[in-house]
Amino acid sequence: MVVISMEYLHASDAPEVLWAAAAVFATVGVGIGAMWATLRASNPKRCITYWTGDTPLLRSHRRLEGGLQVSRNGRTLADPRLVHIRITNTSRRDVPSSAFDRGEPIKVDVGKPILEVLGTETDPADAAPPQESVAGTELHIGPGRIGRNQSVTYLLLIDGDPVYTWSHSLIDVTVEETGSPVLRTQVLPPQLLHVGVSMAATVAAGLAAWWLHRSLN
């Protein structure tokens, strides 16, 4: 460590020394910021959000009371519901099939027997969704690749009021519930993040140097 004692410097040399020190701090700050941004870009976190909702297919109406029924395969449904289950990969990395520990799928229990998978919607439209299957009251999703910024919505038919329970065995993936459907988000590219952090470090170092200069004059 090098220690500079001000008593050995001429008073007129002090500002130059301080500005030189500030330049060093600025360079170090930019370097640290660049390293942090590079590490963040090379090791981004993987995160999946999910949302569930349902729409009753029959609603009370004074003009249609008792006059409208929904049936499936000859069986009348008392309270048919269209269930929406949406998962979204909000991170900058794909969630690969290998992230499903022991090949275990994401399991969504809706509390009522799933009568039919009516459809699957993806965003972007050309992205292949992970496979799904039905086991009684559960929808099984995966294992399968979920691309970055990809959203998949599964449409189910059930009879009755659903109660949702989620479980998964994903490795190194954060799974969070969201209050509303999350559309595909725009993620800052690593280069832009790198530049932003470097600029912030430079500005902070410049302000510190300016403050030191003002305090000595």
Side-chain angles (χ1 to χ4, degrees):
M1 178 183 293
V2 179
V3 179
I4 300 175
S5 178
M6 295 300 295
E7 64 183 358
Y8 292 104
L9 296 175
H10 191 274
S12 61
D13 295 331
E16 285 75 9
V17 173
L18 289 174
W19 279 109
V24 172
F25 288 136
T27 302
V28 172
V30 170
I32 293 174
M35 290 175 60
W36 179 85
T38 301
L39 288 174
R40 286 278 295 177
S42 61
N43 297 285
K45 294 181 179 179
R46 292 180 295 187
C47 179
I48 286 179
T49 61
Y50 66 88
W51 173 83
T52 51
D54 66 279
T55 303
L57 297 181
L58 291 179
R59 295 180 180 273
S60 298
H61 195 284
R62 57 187 178 87
R63 294 185 179 180
L64 293 176
E65 185 175 357
L68 185 64
Q69 293 181 336
V70 174
S71 63
R72 175 182 176 272
N73 296 334
R75 172 194 165 193
T76 299
L77 305 181
D79 185 16
R81 304 280 184 119
L82 179 61
V83 171
H84 308 257
I85 296 174
R86 170 176 280 236
I87 60 172
T88 302
N89 181 358
T90 59
S91 52
R92 300 190 304 274
R93 296 176 64 188
D94 294 349
V95 174
S97 300
S98 59
F100 291 77
D101 188 28
R102 302 183 305 277
E104 288 293 319
I106 300 170
K107 299 178 181 179
V108 189
D109 192 333
V110 300
K112 299 292 181 180
I114 298 174
L115 304 178
E116 198 83 45
V117 178
L118 298 178
T120 303
E121 301 173 354
T122 63
D123 182 18
D126 59 350
Q131 64 181 359
E132 85 281 349
S133 60
V134 172
T137 62
E138 292 182 346
L139 176 70
H140 293 180
I141 302 172
R145 172 183 169 274
I146 306 173
R148 62 177 185 173
N149 300 328
Q150 180 183 359
S151 292
V152 185
T153 303
Y154 300 93
L155 306 176
L156 315 176
L157 176 64
I158 67 171
D159 189 12
D161 194 9
V163 177
Y164 303 106
T165 304
W166 285 71
S167 62
H168 71 91
S169 60
L170 293 171
I171 302 172
D172 295 330
V173 180
T174 301
V175 179
E176 300 174 338
E177 183 176 10
T178 182
S180 59
V182 177
L183 299 178
R184 213 158 30 101
T185 56
Q186 297 295 329
V187 179
L188 289 177
Q191 296 85 354
L192 184 57
L193 179 63
H194 178 104
V195 172
V197 172
S198 298
M199 289 180 63
T202 302
V203 171
L207 289 174
W210 174 81
W211 180 83
L212 287 172
H213 180 69
R214 286 288 303 273
S215 65
L216 294 173
N217 289 283

